[in-house]
Amino acid sequence: MKYFFITIILAISTFAQTTPNSADSFQKRQPVVVPKFSSEPIIDGKIDDEIWKSAAVFKNFIQIRPGDNIAASKETIAYLGYDEKNLYFSAMCFDEADKIRATIAKRDNVGGEDNVRITLDTFDDQRRAYALIFNPLGIQGDGIITEGGGGGGQGGPDLSVDIVMESKGVILENGWSVEAKIPFKSLRYIAGKGKFWGVNFTRNIERLNGELDSWSRIERGISFLQQIGKITGFNDIKTERNLEIVPSITLSESGQRIAANNLPGMSRILNKPVKQDIGISIKYQITPNVTLDAAINPDFAEVESDSPVVLANTRFPTFFPEKRPFFLEGNDYFRTPLQVVNTRNIADPDIALKLTGKIGRNTFGILTAVDRFANTKTKAYIGVLRLKHDIGTQSNIGLIATTYHFGGRRHNTLIGLDGKFQTSKQANLNFQVVGTKTNRRFFNPNINELEYRSGNGIAYQINYDYTGRNRGVFLGVNGRSRDYRADVGFTRRTDSHGATFGFRLGTQPKPKNTLIGIVTRHFTNYTIDEQGRLQETRYNLNGELTFQKQLQVRFGLGLGVEKIYEDEFGARRNVNQPGRFFGDESRGAFQKSFRLDVEKNISKRLSIDGGIKFSRNEFDLDFGANERFKRVSPWFFSPLRNPLDERLDPGKANSSGYDIGVDLTPTDPLTISISYEREKLTRNDTKLIAFDSNIFSLRSTYQFTRFIFARTRIDYDTLDATINSQLLFGWSPNPGTAFYVGYNDNSSYKGYNDFREDFDNGFRRDERRFFIRMSYLLRRSF
């Protein structure tokens, strides 16, 4: 309770802040006419072409982080102009040259250093905007800001989109400057006489506590896209239909460990013949605001991989984000609160089609794919339809439908309605309700078997959110019925219904103080199943303290009660069968948890972060992790247990863990990230270790030029003794054109050998793959 009272006292404190001139703020709210250039500037990073003197000028930036609309520490001036085919942007960022933070970074990896960003709401609907980011060396980042989905003045955009544009940057004696040429055909937009675009310019000065300066005045707690400025004058854009064709080919040779013939317990690496995958992706811009994408046999190779996570003692699926470019582009069109579309469920498509766009106030998306499965001729047919209609300034209502058909025995159809209604500048009400019809095998705990049947389900979510300057309130209810299935989406848990109440309290930031500010978030939730049984009730307090010199401290406290029931894990006990649990058919625990994280940016070449955590009385579910960490429950060791009796005996356990990470930039082209994470679970009754996981990770990239790099990745997980590594050389001058040479290796060290049914004494290679991937962007406008 001590932390709670400290939070209340700090939250009601007020601190005076210097605000910008009101006349200047009024002027920035007036639309700015962007002039048409009579000649094209040379994109070399130097704003010395004569034509820039005729550009629209944007200056008098103000600090919106960590300060709250106070004077900026450094001066920034941005410029805009256009011709029939391109938008031209430049910025002069005044600073001390030796303190500027910039590296020859990978595309989109410029967030942790100095950068400047132009935000373009090309439909002027205050709902979706491009964020184009450039560091002092002209390295690009590009993403999408969605209203309510991040990317505002205090957050980051979704960087999954990649557009073709040209940029250069230079470091000068009095700061740095950048120039960019952005083809209109790379954007989705509306233009013409009387049409407006939303616009803003922001600059990040990383060493000054991550200072963020903005051309527009941005009030905290109000949607970022509602507060940006306006530009107009795009009367002479030459509208073009754009066709992009990206053929690709991947050549690979792999080896996999198999049992050795006639040698029991022995194994060997089987080298497979060279395999080739040829695919093609097509993008056709039907109009500036409607795009058709198609992919035939797309090959994604293993250029990007998922980070290792601890999966031991988990009941529910783990979400992994999409990384494949075809599905990333335009994925915000299909995003809804209940996550009914997760394209990771489309594993290896033969063909995929996607049509997305916006006409007037109507946004739409259509996605369809034919997915193939290894070692079977059966294919899955997938379809998604998304419609959304804008209402007023920030409200909308939408429809989504999905279908998934696999063979003749698995069919899933989903249809839902969702909406968002802004009740004030700081408050909104959003909801989604979906219904599903599924034919598949459902588990029946009464007979302990899977049975094929039809099941109807429902899922819902209704939230009220008030976000003020330094305080906020959240109230929500959500649930998924027992037979709810969303085979195209991601579902963590079914047969669960609950309510959540939360509030946020924070201090007014004081950028010159040692302690700049504190923000705390309080959440209470309560969930039950359809029989009215308690699943969980919990209170969480999370806090963040921001100090000078880029030091952040975050903490979390949790108190709660969790209950589990045997029919959630398998058979329900009755006269015909024993239950899944040995002993009581339900278990309950009063749980406590704590976490502390510290993040410090020591210099432009070194930053560290680390944390500790522990919890008391969380459940060991008695699954066992692997051959090294088998089940440790009393029932598992009982002399009365038949070895074939697989009943579970979940019990209370204590967990602890810690992690540390170091990001190092020895030279501008070289970045190294090293991390270590440990998590340990110890059973209370037997005092035995349920699992002990140690994950070591190394990421290293050498950027020879803006477009050429070499990358190393190594992950070692002691829980299953696996070592996964990759060496990759790449050249990618623009989105679509790329050449990769890579080697992936999956090995183990003193791991369990399934062929010998014993542990190895040293290293064992299980799988390897060498690949070459080539693709080329063919682009034509007409």
Side-chain angles (χ1 to χ4, degrees):
M1 295 301 291
K2 175 175 68 175
Y3 297 101
F4 179 79
F5 288 118
I6 291 175
T7 299
I8 295 296
I9 293 170
L10 289 169
I12 61 177
S13 301
T14 57
F15 305 99
Q17 296 286 336
T18 303
T19 58
N21 184 277
S22 59
D24 179 62
S25 298
F26 175 78
Q27 183 181 7
K28 291 178 180 179
R29 289 197 294 269
Q30 308 309 304
V32 176
V33 178
V34 178
K36 183 181 179 183
F37 281 176
S38 58
S39 62
E40 179 178 333
I42 298 172
I43 306 301
D44 58 5
K46 303 175 183 178
I47 315 174
D48 54 5
D49 297 271
E50 189 70 19
I51 194 64
W52 283 116
K53 294 181 180 179
S54 63
V57 182
F58 305 82
K59 55 184 181 179
N60 299 326
F61 282 50
I62 53 180
Q63 184 184 149
I64 62 173
R65 186 186 70 198
D68 188 3
N69 288 304
I70 64 174
S73 300
K74 304 292 181 180
E75 183 182 5
T76 307
I77 305 175
Y79 304 88
L80 275 185
Y82 84 101
D83 61 22
E84 290 182 343
K85 294 185 177 181
N86 304 291
L87 177 69
Y88 299 98
F89 161 69
S90 67
M92 179 64 212
C93 303
F94 294 92
D95 206 344
E96 301 163 70
D98 60 334
K99 295 182 179 180
I100 295 169
R101 297 189 179 182
T103 61
I104 307 173
K106 177 186 175 184
R107 185 188 185 98
D108 291 337
N109 197 26
V110 297
E113 53 193 33
D114 293 350
N115 62 72
V116 66
R117 180 172 96 182
I118 175 174
T119 299
L120 295 170
D121 179 0
T122 53
F123 289 98
D124 191 31
D125 61 3
Q126 302 177 14
R127 290 171 170 84
R128 185 180 190 269
Y130 291 96
L132 309 180
I133 315 164
F134 309 93
N135 83 348
L137 301 179
I139 307 299
Q140 302 169 4
D142 43 9
I144 294 293
I145 299 170
T146 53
E147 190 279 324
Q154 303 296 313
D158 176 1
L159 296 174
S160 61
V161 65
D162 287 322
I163 71 170
V164 177
M165 55 184 174
E166 181 183 350
S167 63
K168 291 287 179 64
V170 292
I171 296 177
L172 309 168
E173 291 183 358
N174 60 341
W176 58 278
S177 62
V178 66
E179 289 181 303
K181 180 171 74 172
I182 306 158
F184 288 115
K185 63 185 179 183
S186 293
L187 307 174
R188 303 184 185 206
Y189 65 91
I190 56 170
K193 188 174 181 180
K195 299 295 184 180
F196 297 91
W197 288 9
V199 72
N200 194 34
F201 307 88
T202 53
R203 175 190 176 185
N204 184 57
I205 309 175
E206 186 64 19
R207 74 179 185 279
L208 301 180
N209 299 307
E211 178 175 328
L212 187 65
D213 300 330
S214 171
W215 177 69
S216 296
R217 178 184 176 90
I218 303 298
E219 297 287 348
R220 299 176 185 228
I222 301 176
S223 170
F224 172 71
L225 294 181
Q226 292 185 57
Q227 304 182 72
I228 64 178
K230 304 285 186 185
I231 53 177
T232 188
F234 300 120
N235 302 331
D236 298 318
I237 295 177
K238 183 180 179 181
T239 301
E240 297 177 308
R241 289 184 174 88
N242 188 42
L243 177 64
E244 296 180 3
I245 302 175
V246 182
S248 65
I249 181 171
T250 299
L251 303 175
S252 63
E253 191 276 331
S254 61
Q256 187 173 15
R257 183 167 295 277
I258 63 171
N261 294 333
N262 302 319
L263 295 173
M266 301 299 291
S267 60
R268 64 183 180 90
I269 291 289
L270 173 66
N271 293 315
K272 299 180 181 179
V274 174
K275 177 184 176 183
Q276 67 177 26
D277 279 308
I278 299 175
I280 187 169
S281 296
I282 302 170
K283 180 189 295 292
Y284 178 54
Q285 195 173 34
I286 301 172
T287 69
N289 53 344
V290 178
T291 302
L292 175 67
D293 293 273
I296 301 172
N297 189 33
D299 176 67
F300 303 110
E302 288 94 348
V303 176
E304 298 287 346
S305 59
D306 296 315
S307 298
V309 295
V310 179
L311 298 177
N313 201 51
T314 55
R315 298 173 59 190
F316 307 114
T318 300
F319 177 77
F320 292 99
E322 181 62 85
K323 296 178 180 291
R324 299 169 295 180
F326 175 82
F327 293 112
L328 284 172
E329 202 280 328
N331 67 351
D332 54 293
Y333 283 80
F334 302 97
R335 192 177 297 135
T336 64
L338 286 172
Q339 205 170 357
V340 299
V341 176
N342 175 29
T343 51
R344 286 290 291 255
N345 288 328
I346 306 174
D348 190 12
D350 280 333
I351 185 171
L353 295 171
K354 181 168 52 178
L355 180 68
T356 54
K358 182 166 188 176
I359 300 175
R361 288 181 166 269
N362 301 303
T363 303
F364 62 90
I366 300 172
L367 172 65
T368 184
V370 178
D371 202 12
R372 59 176 176 253
F373 291 81
N375 303 320
T376 177
K377 295 182 179 180
T378 306
K379 297 184 178 183
Y381 297 87
I382 299 155
V384 180
L385 171 66
R386 174 62 169 161
L387 302 173
K388 188 165 68 171
H389 178 72
D390 296 341
I391 302 171
T393 304
Q394 283 284 302
S395 301
N396 60 69
I397 191 165
L399 171 76
I400 192 159
T402 70
T403 180
Y404 187 99
H405 294 276
F406 179 70
R409 299 281 290 176
R410 181 176 167 188
H411 308 282
N412 175 250
T413 302
L414 175 150
I415 187 167
L417 185 70
D418 63 278
K420 176 187 175 183
F421 301 98
Q422 186 170 18
T423 58
S424 71
K425 285 186 176 181
Q426 298 163 309
N428 66 78
L429 179 72
N430 67 77
F431 77 94
Q432 184 172 16
V433 179
V434 301
T436 63
K437 181 176 178 59
T438 308
N439 291 307
R440 65 179 299 170
R441 299 174 72 193
F442 288 87
F443 179 76
N444 186 343
N446 293 317
I447 59 174
N448 195 26
E449 289 183 4
L450 290 167
E451 57 180 5
Y452 185 84
R453 63 177 175 85
S454 177
N456 297 322
I458 187 171
Y460 57 91
Q461 180 172 307
I462 305 171
N463 296 326
Y464 172 79
D465 191 345
Y466 169 82
T467 303
R469 180 187 294 265
N470 294 312
R471 57 189 55 84
V473 175
F474 176 87
L475 179 63
V477 295
N478 65 85
R480 293 172 175 85
S481 66
R482 181 173 64 92
D483 285 351
Y484 170 80
R485 299 291 185 274
D487 286 355
V488 184
F490 177 80
T491 304
R492 183 173 180 271
R493 187 176 191 177
T494 61
D495 192 10
S496 182
H497 306 264
T500 301
F501 171 73
F503 62 95
R504 171 179 59 90
L505 295 172
T507 63
Q508 184 71 7
K510 299 188 71 175
K512 296 184 182 297
N513 282 15
T514 301
L515 176 59
I516 296 173
I518 300 177
V519 177
T520 62
R521 294 175 174 85
H522 310 251
F523 284 96
T524 300
N525 73 288
Y526 182 86
T527 60
I528 60 174
D529 65 14
E530 292 179 6
Q531 299 179 54
R533 301 179 300 186
L534 174 69
Q535 293 177 329
E536 183 181 62
T537 181
R538 187 172 298 275
Y539 166 75
N540 286 295
L541 164 62
N542 298 308
E544 181 176 320
L545 292 79
T546 303
F547 295 89
Q548 291 289 341
K549 298 183 179 180
Q550 294 181 268
L551 172 63
Q552 284 193 326
V553 178
R554 293 180 292 273
F555 67 88
L557 297 169
L559 297 172
V561 174
E562 182 182 7
K563 297 201 70 174
I564 59 176
Y565 307 92
E566 66 179 2
D567 53 288
E568 297 178 288
F569 295 79
R572 178 186 290 122
R573 62 187 66 188
N574 54 44
V575 294
N576 298 315
Q577 63 186 19
R580 185 70 170 105
F581 287 175
F582 170 78
D584 295 337
E585 60 185 307
S586 66
R587 313 290 165 94
F590 176 68
Q591 301 169 337
K592 298 174 286 186
S593 64
F594 173 77
R595 181 174 181 96
L596 177 69
D597 294 283
V598 178
E599 183 178 337
K600 177 74 171 84
N601 197 322
I602 297 174
S603 70
K604 68 179 182 179
R605 298 203 180 277
L606 176 64
S607 64
I608 60 174
D609 63 86
I612 59 172
K613 63 180 180 179
F614 62 83
S615 66
R616 296 293 176 261
N617 296 330
E618 71 173 81
F619 279 113
D620 166 36
L621 301 175
D622 200 24
F623 293 151
N626 50 33
E627 291 296 328
R628 178 173 280 110
F629 292 101
K630 297 183 178 182
R631 297 168 57 187
V632 294
S633 64
W635 171 242
F636 182 73
F637 291 108
S638 171
L640 301 177
R641 187 181 75 90
N642 185 315
L644 299 178
D645 188 341
E646 292 299 325
R647 283 183 293 173
L648 302 176
D649 186 12
K652 299 173 186 177
N654 294 334
S655 74
S656 61
Y658 51 89
D659 59 84
I660 186 169
V662 178
D663 291 327
L664 182 64
T665 308
T667 63
D668 286 347
L670 177 64
T671 59
I672 301 172
S673 296
I674 303 172
S675 65
Y676 167 65
E677 178 182 0
R678 184 181 187 186
E679 187 171 343
K680 180 180 177 181
L681 183 70
T682 304
R683 182 98 177 194
N684 290 359
D685 44 22
T686 62
K687 308 300 181 184
L688 297 175
I689 296 174
F691 71 85
D692 188 353
S693 169
N694 299 265
I695 298 177
F696 301 83
S697 295
L698 168 69
R699 302 285 189 275
S700 177
T701 301
Y702 192 92
Q703 204 79 31
F704 297 97
T705 69
R706 292 178 59 181
F707 310 124
I708 301 175
F709 69 90
R711 186 170 73 204
T712 301
R713 173 185 63 82
I714 302 174
D715 296 311
Y716 173 43
D717 185 351
T718 63
L719 185 62
D720 53 12
T722 56
I723 305 172
N724 297 323
S725 59
Q726 180 186 70
L727 298 174
L728 182 70
F729 173 84
W731 170 71
S732 182
N734 60 57
T737 298
F739 174 79
Y740 297 108
V741 178
Y743 176 75
N744 295 336
D745 187 283
N746 299 326
S747 303
S748 67
Y749 177 67
K750 294 185 177 181
Y752 186 77
N753 190 319
D754 291 319
F755 301 99
R756 295 193 298 110
E757 297 184 348
D758 197 0
F759 290 94
D760 291 321
N761 293 321
F763 288 95
R764 182 186 77 244
R765 173 174 287 120
D766 294 315
E767 192 173 6
R768 60 168 183 80
R769 184 172 187 259
F770 174 80
F771 67 89
I772 299 175
R773 185 179 190 275
M774 297 169 283
S775 64
Y776 187 76
L777 171 64
L778 302 169
R779 203 177 201 213
R780 183 177 179 183
S781 302
F782 49 90

